[in-house]
Amino acid sequence: MKKVMDYQDLRDLGYPQNQARRIIRQAKRNLVKQGFAFYNGKRVGLVPTTAIAEIIALPELEDGKQ
């Protein structure tokens, strides 16, 4: 599995476009709270897969399997 994901990767997993974008935004907010100021940018669309796995609770994404 990829180390970073964007909303299109979530779309490929079956999420609707709006929901995929909201998941990316939430992951970015969580990363900024953890001290990664880089993700505070509007144009940053790639987030680590582990950050997404925390939100959607899929252990397969954390382990690197799909």
Side-chain angles (χ1 to χ4, degrees):
M1 187 69 184
K2 294 180 171 184
K3 292 191 183 266
V4 292
M5 296 179 77
D6 63 355
Y7 90 96
Q8 192 60 45
D9 294 324
L10 290 171
R11 298 273 327 258
D12 294 341
L13 289 175
Y15 288 93
Q17 181 175 352
N18 192 30
Q19 188 173 9
R21 289 186 187 272
R22 281 189 282 137
I23 291 169
I24 295 293
R25 274 190 236 122
Q26 182 63 45
K28 285 173 56 174
R29 267 186 246 130
N30 291 348
L31 288 166
V32 170
K33 285 181 185 177
Q34 293 174 10
F36 298 103
F38 170 77
Y39 292 101
N40 203 18
K42 201 174 179 186
R43 304 188 96 188
V44 177
L46 292 172
V47 294
T49 303
T50 54
I52 292 175
E54 291 174 7
I55 295 170
I56 60 176
L58 288 177
E60 306 90 51
L61 291 178
E62 291 176 348
D63 295 339
K65 300 180 239 169
Q66 184 177 1

